[in-house]
């Protein structure tokens, strides 16, 4: 009888350990992502405390998104202004609607506290992005270790602090990651709808939309495209096109959105002239650590794009490379370029795979070095530089 009880207890322990072993890989991407974010917030809080500043996770554009969530496009207070201190009936239309809408929907859960709702939306979206990034690495053929290293590199990238702020980058990252997963796994409707929704989050959804359409078009040319692939290509641009057309009806001009961006934030396509001039002047004469490092991060993004050419499926690489191209080829506030490069996170995958192939100790050190720099850069930029985000 005692032997039977002992065997039953042993079997129960084995069953529990098996269940734990199954759940750990499932929980790992989210847990790793949250751990990095907690470290980021603590570091930001520490630097703010040193400079006797309050912890502010909705500064700059974050206030715009909160105003949009609370008041809508036509109720924005006149105190909300563009880069030049101007406020017009159309200024708010420089910001896309999906993120403030999510914040508005979530706000009753937080008793009308829009800031808390915004941070919660960003946090949940960031976790969804982490799982998408992990799945993407596995689809490419990377190991579980490579997937987790990629999650760390993604979560700790320079200016990734916005993933924990009232900013839409985490939502965009989640939609981009799962759209790319849809492409690799030929889940066309997932890819199409994620791209369409991304077009309602930020204009930097354009590279994602272009890649979804291009992959479907290549399949059609080769005679391998299914009706789902064609549907994905048709629905992918809907969100971005719908918003730009809506702004056109409000402003009375087909180029209304672009005029708002150019007049309010000096943002427009110039082939990289403004970026090149700013980078050259910064390296030649600027004494700001943030500006100099921002230039090197831009250069680094180009290097990563070149390095990843033969190391990623062409669709994934094209998304990352087009994101870098779009970011560097537009004018605007140059010090925000590191944040605008965040959607090119796929270019970190070959680096993460390379790191994961080292011995565990060395891999941990290399990953920690990247995370330390990225988290410090984010906190430093937010506490010492006026226009880092």
């Amino acid at each position: 009888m005692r032997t039977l009880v002992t065997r039953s207890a042993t079997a129960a322990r084995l069953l529990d350990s098996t269940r734990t072993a199954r759940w750990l890989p499932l929980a790992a991407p989210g847990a790793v992502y949250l751990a990095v974010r907690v470290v980021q917030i603590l570091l930001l809080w520490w630097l703010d405390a040193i400079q006797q500043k309050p912890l502010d996770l909705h500064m700059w554009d974050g206030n715009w998104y909160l105003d949009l969530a609370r008041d809508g496009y036509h109720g924005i207070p006149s105190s909300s202004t563009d880069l030049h201190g101007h406020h017009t009936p159309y200024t708010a239309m420089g910001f896309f609607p999906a993120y403030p809408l999510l914040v508005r929907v979530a706000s009753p859960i937080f008793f009308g506290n829009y800031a808390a709702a915004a941070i919660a939306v960003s946090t949940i979206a960031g976790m969804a992005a982490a799982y998408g990034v992990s799945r993407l690495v596995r689809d490419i053929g990377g190991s579980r270790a490579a997937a987790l290293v990629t999650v760390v590199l993604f979560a700790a990238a320079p200016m990734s602090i916005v993933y924990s702020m009232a900013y839409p980058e985490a939502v965009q990252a989640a939609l981009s990651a799962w759209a790319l997963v849809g492409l690799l796994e030929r889940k066309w409707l997932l890819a199409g709808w994620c791209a369409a929704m991304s077009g309602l989050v930020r204009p930097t959804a354009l590279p994602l939309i272009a890649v979804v359409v291009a992959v479907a078009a290549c399949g059609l040319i080769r005679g391998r495209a299914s009706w789902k692939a064609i549907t994905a290509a048709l629905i992918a641009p809907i969100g971005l096109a719908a918003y730009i057309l809506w702004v056109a009806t409000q402003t009375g001009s087909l180029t209304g959105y672009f005029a708002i961006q150019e007049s309010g934030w000096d943002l427009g396509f110039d082939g990289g002239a403004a970026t090149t001039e700013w980078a050259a002047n910064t390296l030649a004469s600027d004494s700001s650590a943030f500006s100099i490092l921002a230039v090197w991060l831009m250069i680094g993004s180009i290097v990563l794009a070149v390095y990843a050419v033969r190391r990623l499926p062409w669709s994934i690489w094209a998304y990352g490379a087009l994101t870098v191209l779009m970011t560097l080829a537009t004018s605007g506030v140059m010090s925000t370029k590191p944040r605008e490069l965040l959607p090119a996170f796929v270019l970190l995958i070959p680096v993460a795979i390379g790191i994961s192939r080292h011995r565990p100790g060395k891999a941990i050190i290399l990953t920690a070095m990247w995370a330390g720099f990225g988290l410090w850069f984010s906190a430093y930029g937010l506490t010492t530089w006026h226009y880092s985000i």
Side-chain angles (χ1 to χ4, degrees):
M1 186 68 177
R2 289 180 180 176
T3 302
L4 182 61
V5 171
T6 302
R7 288 178 178 176
S8 297
T10 303
R13 286 195 297 270
L14 287 173
L15 182 60
D16 288 340
S17 63
T18 301
R19 288 174 178 172
T20 302
R22 289 177 180 175
W23 276 106
L24 279 176
L26 294 176
V32 168
Y33 175 83
L34 284 179
V36 173
R37 302 278 16 104
V38 168
V39 173
Q40 175 72 92
I41 297 300
L42 290 175
L43 182 58
L44 176 63
W45 172 79
W46 178 59
L47 291 184
D48 276 336
I50 290 175
Q51 299 192 28
Q52 298 182 337
K53 293 181 178 179
L55 181 66
D56 186 356
L57 296 178
H58 55 83
M59 61 194 302
W60 298 111
D61 289 355
N63 289 318
W64 272 103
Y65 287 112
L66 294 183
D67 286 342
L68 282 170
R70 187 185 303 109
D71 305 312
Y73 282 99
H74 299 292
I76 297 292
S78 58
S79 57
S80 295
T81 61
D82 60 25
L83 184 65
H84 304 292
H86 302 146
H87 178 92
T88 74
Y90 311 116
T91 304
M93 295 175 190
F95 300 90
F96 278 54
Y99 180 70
L101 179 60
L102 289 173
V103 174
R104 185 180 187 91
V105 170
S107 63
I109 301 174
F110 298 90
F111 307 99
N113 187 326
Y114 284 87
I119 294 169
V121 168
S122 292
T123 301
I124 293 170
M127 289 186 66
Y131 280 100
V133 169
S134 177
R135 177 81 161 262
L136 192 59
V137 176
R138 298 289 283 163
D139 284 344
I140 291 172
S143 63
R144 285 180 178 173
L148 290 181
V149 172
T150 308
V151 170
V152 174
L153 301 190
F154 158 76
M159 295 319 299
S160 59
I161 181 63
V162 293
Y163 294 149
S164 298
M165 298 180 66
Y167 271 68
E169 271 74 9
V171 175
Q172 186 187 34
L175 292 171
S176 298
W178 284 103
L180 296 174
V181 168
L183 285 182
L184 290 183
E185 298 181 3
R186 292 301 185 259
K187 295 179 179 178
W188 293 106
L189 297 184
L190 173 64
W193 281 116
C194 282
M197 289 186 288
S198 182
L200 290 170
V201 177
R202 293 197 76 233
T204 45
L206 185 59
L208 180 65
I209 296 167
V211 166
V212 172
V213 173
V215 172
C218 287
L220 185 62
I221 292 171
R222 295 172 182 173
R224 300 176 183 173
S226 65
W227 68 268
K228 290 183 178 180
I230 296 171
T231 302
L234 293 175
I235 64 178
I238 286 177
L240 182 62
Y243 183 68
I244 290 176
L245 288 175
W246 177 76
V247 175
T249 64
Q250 300 297 305
T251 60
S253 170
L254 282 174
T255 59
Y257 170 78
F258 305 101
I260 292 169
Q261 288 284 12
E262 186 172 357
S263 63
W265 285 272
D266 301 328
L267 186 62
F269 181 82
D270 65 357
T275 302
T276 302
E277 181 182 0
W278 182 78
N281 290 336
T282 296
L283 294 179
S285 59
D286 202 317
S287 60
S288 165
F290 183 89
S291 297
I292 294 171
L293 288 173
V295 171
W296 282 111
L297 287 172
M298 292 183 215
I299 296 171
S301 69
I302 299 172
V303 173
L304 283 178
V306 174
Y307 177 74
V309 170
R310 296 181 180 273
R311 293 172 173 83
L312 290 174
W314 76 265
S315 56
I316 308 303
W317 174 83
Y319 164 72
L322 286 173
T323 299
V324 171
L325 177 63
M326 181 177 177
T327 300
L328 302 184
T330 53
S331 56
V333 181
M334 291 295 131
S335 55
T336 65
K337 294 297 182 183
R339 172 178 67 87
E340 294 168 13
L341 285 169
L342 286 174
F345 59 85
V346 295
L347 299 179
L348 296 170
I349 294 176
V351 178
I353 291 176
I355 290 174
S356 69
R357 289 172 179 165
H358 289 288
R359 292 192 303 269
K362 187 175 181 180
I364 291 172
I365 291 172
L366 291 173
T367 304
M369 287 174 61
W370 166 267
F373 169 73
L375 296 177
W376 167 81
F377 185 85
S378 294
Y380 171 77
L382 212 62
T383 55
T384 64
W385 198 253
H386 293 297
Y387 302 108
S388 60
I389 56 173

PDB file of all heavy atoms in Angstrom, residues 48 229 272:
ATOM      1  N   ASP A  48      14.975  60.432 -13.418  1.00  0.00           N
ATOM      2  CA  ASP A  48      14.059  61.545 -13.118  1.00  0.00           C
ATOM      3  C   ASP A  48      14.265  62.041 -11.690  1.00  0.00           C
ATOM      4  O   ASP A  48      14.255  63.250 -11.425  1.00  0.00           O
ATOM      5  CB  ASP A  48      12.604  61.099 -13.315  1.00  0.00           C
ATOM      6  CG  ASP A  48      12.156  61.201 -14.758  1.00  0.00           C
ATOM      7  OD1 ASP A  48      12.740  62.007 -15.509  1.00  0.00           O
ATOM      8  OD2 ASP A  48      11.223  60.480 -15.146  1.00  0.00           O
ATOM      9  N   ALA A 229      -4.835  35.266 -50.679  1.00  0.00           N
ATOM     10  CA  ALA A 229      -3.689  36.145 -50.896  1.00  0.00           C
ATOM     11  C   ALA A 229      -4.119  37.418 -51.612  1.00  0.00           C
ATOM     12  O   ALA A 229      -3.689  38.523 -51.265  1.00  0.00           O
ATOM     13  CB  ALA A 229      -2.609  35.419 -51.700  1.00  0.00           C
ATOM     14  N   GLY A 272      16.077  62.131 -48.163  1.00  0.00           N
ATOM     15  CA  GLY A 272      17.143  62.009 -47.176  1.00  0.00           C
ATOM     16  C   GLY A 272      18.042  63.223 -47.068  1.00  0.00           C
ATOM     17  O   GLY A 272      19.034  63.204 -46.337  1.00  0.00           O
TER      18      GLY A 272
END
